[in-house]
Amino acid sequence: MISCGAETSLYTWKSPEATFDSVHHILVMGLIKDIEYRDTYEKEVCGALNGYGFKTTKALNVISPGKKYTDEELQEVITSKGVEGVLLMKYQGTKIEKTTAKGNTYTKIYKKFVSSTSGKKYIDEHKTVYMELSLYKASTGEVIWMGSAKTMDTDLPEDLAKSLAEELIKGFIKDGIIKSGKPM
């Protein structure tokens, strides 16, 4: 079955020493320059995590995107909100691939390979967005979980964020951060 929406693949790692029982309140921060995408990612991921019993705070609600905080100021904002975990979603880039096909038989494609010909072309474009996800323990700043995500074939920030949020939940369930496979 082929889906019309975005498709995300997520590869994860978790610290063998980490315990997740004390991570109930998560600050969700999108590290994306486009404020619309950042807001959409933070909102979608917060909603998904809330559905599994986490308390979440969107970083855009407590951290000004235009201000560069010192380490101490950032730590103060986080601890003042009672945050136990910080989830960073860092945009790693977008790759656009174009596929061109003549729409002809293999013999015509062979002839094109052997000699250059002109004609109508079919061009298909695929966009892949790469994100790095990291969950930190707020009290120590240690990374306790990481994920590498790639989302294919979407242009809408909502579809992109929803697909990422769904895979994040699956990754959290797989790695034992979420104990139940069912939303609350």
Side-chain angles (χ1 to χ4, degrees), residues 90-125:
K90 183 179 176 189
Y91 172 71
Q92 296 290 81
T94 301
K95 182 178 179 184
I96 298 175
E97 297 177 62
K98 292 183 181 182
T99 306
T100 305
K102 289 279 190 185
N104 295 322
T105 64
Y106 66 87
T107 58
K108 290 181 181 176
I109 293 170
Y110 168 77
K111 287 178 185 175
K112 179 188 180 292
F113 178 75
V114 173
S115 65
S116 180
T117 61
S118 63
K120 291 185 179 179
K121 293 182 180 179
Y122 171 76
I123 298 175
D124 193 16
E125 187 173 283

Side-chain angles (χ1 to χ4, degrees), residues 6-10 149-152 159-160 162-165 167:
E7 182 180 321
T8 299
S9 300
L10 180 67
K150 74 177 190 180
T151 305
M152 297 179 65
D159 291 344
L160 195 57
K162 183 176 183 185
S163 181
L164 181 73
E167 285 305 309

Side-chain angles (χ1 to χ4, degrees), residues 147-161:
S148 175
K150 74 177 190 180
T151 305
M152 297 179 65
D153 295 333
T154 184
D155 289 319
L156 299 174
E158 293 80 12
D159 291 344
L160 195 57

Side-chain angles (χ1 to χ4, degrees), residues 9-175:
S9 300
L10 180 67
Y11 305 95
T12 66
W13 167 89
K14 70 175 182 173
S15 171
E17 297 88 34
T19 57
F20 300 97
D21 295 339
S22 64
V23 181
H24 303 289
H25 184 180
I26 299 175
L27 176 76
V28 177
M29 183 184 307
L31 299 175
I32 306 160
K33 290 188 187 229
D34 185 308
I35 200 78
E36 177 188 4
Y37 275 83
R38 181 176 175 182
D39 183 55
T40 303
Y41 270 105
E42 288 183 9
K43 178 182 173 186
E44 197 65 48
V45 170
C46 282
L49 289 171
N50 289 342
Y52 282 86
F54 288 94
K55 179 179 179 184
T56 60
T57 300
K58 280 178 40 179
L60 280 172
N61 289 347
V62 295
I63 298 171
S64 173
K67 180 180 177 184
K68 190 170 186 172
Y69 292 82
T70 65
D71 291 351
E72 294 79 21
E73 289 171 329
L74 191 55
Q75 187 64 31
E76 172 59 33
V77 169
I78 290 169
T79 56
S80 72
K81 300 298 178 192
V83 169
E84 298 150 340
V86 178
L87 178 65
L88 298 182
M89 301 176 294
K90 183 179 176 189
Y91 172 71
Q92 296 290 81
T94 301
K95 182 178 179 184
I96 298 175
E97 297 177 62
K98 292 183 181 182
T99 306
T100 305
K102 289 279 190 185
N104 295 322
T105 64
Y106 66 87
T107 58
K108 290 181 181 176
I109 293 170
Y110 168 77
K111 287 178 185 175
K112 179 188 180 292
F113 178 75
V114 173
S115 65
S116 180
T117 61
S118 63
K120 291 185 179 179
K121 293 182 180 179
Y122 171 76
I123 298 175
D124 193 16
E125 187 173 283
H126 298 278
K127 181 166 80 170
T128 305
V129 176
Y130 297 90
M131 298 286 287
E132 178 184 288
L133 308 168
S134 304
L135 179 62
Y136 295 86
K137 195 167 202 168
S139 60
T140 63
E142 294 175 76
V143 65
I144 55 176
W145 181 91
M146 291 184 75
S148 175
K150 74 177 190 180
T151 305
M152 297 179 65
D153 295 333
T154 184
D155 289 319
L156 299 174
E158 293 80 12
D159 291 344
L160 195 57
K162 183 176 183 185
S163 181
L164 181 73
E166 289 170 357
E167 285 305 309
L168 175 70
I169 294 298
K170 289 177 189 176
F172 274 17
I173 290 170
K174 176 183 78 75
D175 292 334

